Amino acid sequence: MIHRDLILPVPVLLIDDQLEASQNLSYILQNFGYPKEVLLCSSSLANAVSMVQQHLPNLVFINLQSWFKAQIDFIQNLKLFRRDTLIVAVLPSSMPKQLLQAIHLGISAYVFSDQTATGMQNQIRTILRGGSPLDGNLANEILACEQSIVAQGHSLALSKTEHEILSLSGQGLPSQQVAANLNASEQLVHGYVKSIYRKIMNADDAMRCFS
């Protein structure tokens, strides 16, 4: 099936030590129109480093469920080597603190691994349309982080609209409803979410909620 509203950056690198999870993600991407030959899979970070250098992927999915230092180093090094590569974290929805830290490291979006295949497909579709998901738990984590940063005498410099989006998302509203409440387009809301993520990415490493 051809999805003409989607942007399909290639090649794609899938990093997951669980073959079944990698295959499921590959299947979803193929349904969106990706040819199988542009979907590269790696079960180890060491092999992934070699594949990045050889194939220069423009889209990387990395499973962060284990959340260990080698993964952190990989993300940081990838952003230095290929700044424009879109990095998507794959992890359970029960890890908002780690997800916030991953955004600070440089990931651009995320997919929750503990949801239905349809849910994963919808999140990936949003990403391939140029949008950015914002889960309610993550939104509340960002708001708590902002309060902590203010208490340290700093700021994420979030705008009034960005705060409103975080507050509404934190109440469990989907992006469509957030857009309706703000009398704005869903595309504009996604643009604000990207701005929030960029501000988190550019924040000082020393701030406690990113360590």
Side-chain angles (χ1 to χ4, degrees), residues 24-80:
N24 290 341
L25 191 53
S26 177
Y27 178 75
I28 292 174
L29 292 171
Q30 288 179 64
N31 281 342
F32 282 137
Y34 273 103
K36 189 174 183 180
E37 57 268 22
V38 304
L39 301 177
L40 313 171
C41 297
S42 175
S43 60
S44 73
L45 288 176
N47 185 48
V49 170
S50 298
M51 297 182 80
V52 166
Q53 294 171 344
Q54 180 179 356
H55 299 284
L56 305 177
N58 285 304
L59 176 59
V60 174
F61 288 83
I62 179 170
N63 190 320
L64 296 181
Q65 182 169 351
S66 301
W67 193 248
F68 51 90
K69 188 178 184 302
Q71 293 174 325
I72 295 172
D73 293 341
F74 176 86
I75 294 172
Q76 291 177 318
N77 291 333
L78 178 56
K79 294 303 291 186
L80 289 173

Side-chain angles (χ1 to χ4, degrees), residues 130-173:
S132 289
L134 179 59
D135 172 67
N137 290 333
L138 175 60
N140 289 328
E141 194 68 36
I142 294 172
L143 289 171
C145 176
E146 166 76 352
Q147 291 180 353
S148 173
I149 289 173
V150 169
Q152 297 174 54
H154 303 285
S155 173
L156 282 178
L158 298 176
S159 69
K160 178 182 177 182
T161 301
E162 289 168 347
H163 272 288
E164 289 176 337
I165 289 171
L166 288 169
S167 178
L168 291 169
S169 298
Q171 297 171 33
L173 298 183

